[in-house]
Amino acid sequence: MTIVSTIRHNRIISVVLLTLLATAVPLAAGAQGTTVPASTTWTSLKGDVFGQKAVEPANGIITIEAPKRAEDAALVPIDLHFKTDATSGRIKTVTLIVDENPSPVAAVFKFGKDAGVTHLATRLRVNAYSYVRAIAETEDGKLHMTETFVKASGGCSAPALKNQDEAVASLGKMKLRVFPSSAPGSEPMTRATEMQLMIRHPNNSGLQMDQITRYYIPAHFIQGLTVSQGDRLIMSMEGGISISEDPNFRFEFDAKPGEDVKVEAADTEGKKFQNEWPLQSSSL
Amino acid sequence: MIHPTRRSVLKTGAFFTCCCLGQFSLARAQSAGRVALPVTEFEDGVFAFSGIPEMMSANNRGEICNVGFIVGEEAVAVVDSGGSVAEGRALIASIRAVSDKPIRYLINTHMHPDHIFGNAAFEDTGATVVGHQSLPRALASRGDYYLRSFRESLGASLMADVKIIPPTKLIAGEETLDLGKRQLTLKAWKPAHTDNDLTVFDQQSQALFTGDLCFIDHLPTMDGSLRGWMEQLETLKTINAKLAVPGHGPVPSKWPEALEVERRYFETLARDIRKSIADGVPMAEAVKTAAQSERPNWRLFDEYNERNATAAFAELEWE
Ligand SMILES: [Zn+2]
């Protein structure tokens, strides 16, 4: 699996890791303020992630939904909808950023050419009152950004694991759910299928200090993920520590009945997980 | 729930009943210069303080959960140290008001700050800290977060002395502690409220300290496994106790009736969440409606229900 394939992507990983190493401690400790921060974080972040490229307002090409106040900062549901037109072309990648997190780039999603992904939902850790933003890159090379503000705190440094033995025992276990078509009566050939992919993984942030040894518990998270059907790439993800424990992705795409759905994932310890599910026409 | 059946003696001077907030604030008002925590001796040698059903704050000194102690012929065992070192010290003062026997054990029923932040007060007592075998691990991964995140709500001065002190005597399965002609049965549970829940049963009085496996009044909080908690209610119920000190709620409460209110809440929550999962309702939507019918029955419902529902959803969607 080659998830990290382009120079730009390598650069993002560096940003993720460097920021993590350089600022993890002070940010985790000090980022519990209660005021809405200015977008200064984004201003300095933008260049690191996208260089000199212009980032335009999304104008509906991509929309983001998140709770205004997170009940559980380690499990903040984020909903993305895509609506492209002929001028911009389809969305090639989406970068999900949590400005105030120690490692701001939560994930970079890449979509297959004919995958037809129109909706993607996942769950994030949010460490402080923060903007959560999604930047879509369309085929014409333009960047389109939408953002929302989430009040949450401690999502990265809070150990989310509620049942540690279970977490270890079920590492890498996957579950795929297929939902009935959301558009009843749609043409069989263009019918979108909604799926939910769940992976058991602690997705440790590495920001939790062992109170006895005073060492940080090492980060251990899902780094790369690909979902494909037959030979077709549906989507791939480069992930960071801001994706919640037990990574969870719900998405809508153009499914081809009868072809297997295949998922491959790799974590920071080099462990690889994979699974395949037959997709019967009847389940579409 | 019910009132003390035999005696309700307040060892610290003022009279006190457990179910009235007004009296709590009175006790609090008098407590400015006070040393001892107002405890009730509801059975011979079994004492408990009834926590205030609020969030931990500087104002309530973190005294939100029930804590207590049991006096044997030779020694004393303390069950939970409270939500601040100040509370821990006040608890020691309550013990010293009724007994000069050594404090042999400080039992922590689980990892939560309202139950363990007072541990440092017992450092000089020579007490052995006792906990579930998984408690040290839980404190290793959460302790630092607890210390940082409670600074805001409890304030710097209350937090100054707080230390994370893990147990050195670990309980796996069941074990008996002896206080001199008085035996306590400690039982370590599988993941329920947390993955390190411990109960303390006094064989002589048949009083049970449930830790946070039992909540009354104060909405239960989910930090372990909803399924594990529901399943183990069956075993918990069979403990042959007369009276219980719940982790939160009236002291003492009738056993096993004390478990009924939370059972109903868990069943409602699990039923609502399971239905949402089956219907394909996304988490963000499902948690808004789950268990809303239980709202009138609890304090702190709005503070914790959606969070519980989120945890329940994340757990039950793997079924
Ligand atoms: Zn608790």
Side-chain angles (χ1 to χ4, degrees):
Chain A
M1 197 182 343
T2 52
I3 302 284
V4 180
S5 50
T6 67
I7 292 166
R8 190 177 71 79
H9 285 173
N10 277 323
R11 230 157 70 77
I12 288 170
I13 294 296
S14 317
V15 170
V16 170
L17 294 178
L18 281 174
T19 319
L20 173 62
L21 293 172
T23 62
V25 183
L27 259 181
Q32 307 215 358
T34 47
T35 49
V36 176
S39 309
T40 48
T41 312
W42 168 241
T43 314
S44 62
L45 207 55
K46 185 193 158 290
D48 291 338
V49 185
F50 296 106
Q52 296 304 308
K53 259 182 114 173
V55 179
E56 301 167 9
N59 282 326
I61 286 177
I62 179 169
T63 52
I64 188 168
E65 271 171 72
K68 289 194 167 36
R69 177 177 290 280
E71 289 298 329
D72 185 340
L75 268 177
V76 181
I78 303 286
D79 231 333
L80 302 171
H81 285 272
F82 315 133
K83 200 175 169 192
T84 48
D85 52 35
T87 14
S88 60
R90 65 171 191 99
I91 290 177
K92 292 196 301 186
T93 66
V94 168
T95 305
L96 202 51
I97 293 180
V98 186
D99 283 9
E100 306 299 328
N101 273 7
S103 167
V105 178
V108 179
F109 296 95
K110 205 168 148 184
F111 302 104
K113 256 196 168 64
D114 52 353
V117 177
T118 50
H119 169 230
L120 172 64
T122 188
R123 299 167 192 171
L124 299 179
R125 292 193 164 99
V126 180
N127 206 44
Y129 284 28
S130 177
Y131 281 104
V132 177
R133 55 187 84 238
I135 297 102
E137 185 187 7
T138 42
E139 267 181 323
D140 59 6
K142 287 191 173 150
L143 299 173
H144 315 266
M145 180 169 79
T146 179
E147 71 278 309
T148 185
F149 193 75
V150 176
K151 292 178 176 175
S153 76
C156 294
S157 43
L161 291 179
K162 291 176 164 52
N163 188 342
Q164 297 202 35
D165 289 326
E166 164 106 14
V168 172
S170 56
L171 183 79
K173 192 175 152 191
M174 293 189 203
K175 187 171 171 178
L176 188 80
R177 285 188 74 191
V178 180
F179 298 96
S181 171
S182 57
S186 55
E187 295 295 313
M189 290 308 288
T190 60
R191 177 158 57 186
T193 294
E194 194 173 12
M195 278 189 182
Q196 185 179 15
L197 170 66
M198 300 155 63
I199 307 170
R200 278 278 199 211
H201 200 285
N203 240 48
N204 272 348
S205 64
L207 298 180
Q208 305 144 22
M209 184 186 275
D210 183 321
Q211 205 38 46
I212 321 299
T213 62
R214 308 301 295 172
Y215 284 114
Y216 280 97
I217 296 160
H220 180 205
F221 56 89
I222 295 277
Q223 219 171 7
L225 171 79
T226 47
V227 182
S228 45
Q229 191 188 21
D231 297 332
R232 262 186 338 146
L233 170 75
I234 305 302
M235 70 174 190
S236 68
M237 181 206 72
E238 282 171 46
I241 60 163
S242 302
I243 298 283
S244 298
E245 172 191 356
D246 293 343
N248 194 309
F249 309 94
R250 187 166 168 160
F251 53 96
E252 239 172 84
F253 73 106
D254 283 337
K256 289 216 172 88
E259 286 184 12
D260 287 2
V261 173
K262 193 170 159 194
V263 174
E264 292 175 295
D267 74 12
T268 45
E269 287 180 1
K271 291 200 190 79
K272 297 208 186 314
F273 315 99
Q274 58 168 303
N275 218 328
E276 265 181 78
W277 297 266
L279 192 61
Q280 272 111 27
S281 338
S282 60
S283 62
L284 296 183
Chain B
M1 266 284 111
I2 61 156
H3 289 278
T5 45
R6 293 164 65 200
R7 308 195 264 163
S8 185
V9 183
L10 187 66
K11 293 291 178 177
T12 50
F15 285 97
F16 165 88
T17 52
C18 65
C19 302
C20 171
L21 268 178
Q23 301 208 5
F24 272 123
S25 26
L26 181 65
R28 211 122 316 273
Q30 293 167 339
S31 76
R34 111 180 151 202
V35 217
L37 209 59
V39 291
T40 308
E41 184 178 16
F42 65 94
E43 289 286 346
D44 268 339
V46 187
F47 298 78
F49 161 75
S50 188
I52 309 145
E54 292 174 2
M55 310 286 280
M56 287 170 84
S57 69
N59 204 34
N60 60 35
R61 296 201 307 184
E63 296 168 2
I64 64 159
C65 78
N66 299 334
V67 298
F69 58 93
I70 301 135
V71 184
E73 295 247 307
E74 296 161 13
V76 178
V78 176
V79 184
D80 285 335
S81 60
S84 63
V85 180
E87 183 182 2
R89 289 193 188 114
L91 180 57
I92 294 173
S94 312
I95 297 167
R96 290 295 161 243
V98 298
S99 170
D100 51 12
K101 289 167 190 161
I103 301 171
R104 190 174 284 170
Y105 301 109
L106 165 61
I107 303 162
N108 285 149
T109 60
H110 64 293
M111 66 186 178
H112 282 149
D114 49 331
H115 300 257
I116 60 148
F117 268 9
N119 278 15
F122 292 82
E123 271 188 312
D124 298 331
T125 64
T128 300
V129 183
V130 185
H132 189 290
Q133 60 170 345
S134 298
L135 181 59
R137 177 180 67 183
L139 291 176
S141 59
R142 290 165 191 258
D144 180 57
Y145 173 68
Y146 287 156
L147 291 180
R148 272 188 290 110
S149 57
F150 280 85
R151 223 174 277 155
E152 202 173 327
S153 51
L154 281 177
S157 67
L158 270 182
M159 285 302 291
D161 296 336
V162 175
K163 277 192 251 177
I164 300 295
I165 301 176
T168 51
K169 181 169 176 54
L170 303 182
I171 307 295
E174 257 183 50
E175 211 169 309
T176 305
L177 298 183
D178 185 33
L179 301 178
K181 299 224 173 96
R182 186 161 207 155
Q183 265 85 41
L184 304 180
T185 308
L186 273 58
K187 183 171 161 60
W189 297 80
K190 294 199 199 87
H193 171 61
T194 66
D195 70 2
N196 47 83
D197 299 314
L198 190 71
T199 52
V200 181
F201 178 66
D202 171 44
Q203 296 176 2
Q204 183 178 315
S205 66
Q206 291 177 286
L208 175 71
F209 287 80
T210 67
D212 279 2
L213 285 176
C214 178
F215 277 80
I216 300 169
D217 225 18
H218 177 306
L219 191 78
T221 60
M222 218 72 75
D223 212 356
S225 161
L226 175 59
R227 287 179 62 181
W229 200 341
M230 291 174 75
E231 279 162 26
Q232 290 180 101
L233 280 183
E234 298 311 310
T235 325
L236 193 59
K237 190 172 87 173
T238 62
I239 293 180
N240 191 25
K242 283 197 304 192
L243 293 171
V245 176
H248 299 262
V251 173
S253 289
K254 210 173 168 200
W255 190 259
E257 290 83 341
L259 294 171
E260 283 315 306
V261 272
E262 71 176 22
R263 176 206 303 280
R264 195 193 49 218
Y265 171 67
F266 296 151
E267 280 169 1
T268 308
L269 180 64
R271 189 195 59 218
D272 291 356
I273 291 291
R274 282 190 175 117
K275 182 171 190 316
S276 290
I277 292 171
D279 293 348
V281 178
M283 174 192 261
E285 255 172 74
V287 301
K288 292 215 159 9
T289 53
Q292 282 299 325
S293 60
E294 279 285 314
R295 197 170 184 279
N297 305 327
W298 299 97
R299 286 174 200 264
L300 303 174
F301 186 87
D302 293 340
E303 280 81 354
Y304 292 114
N305 184 60
E306 266 193 49
R307 204 187 157 92
N308 288 345
T310 304
F313 193 104
E315 179 184 351
L316 298 179
E317 71 186 335
W318 283 93
E319 287 182 327

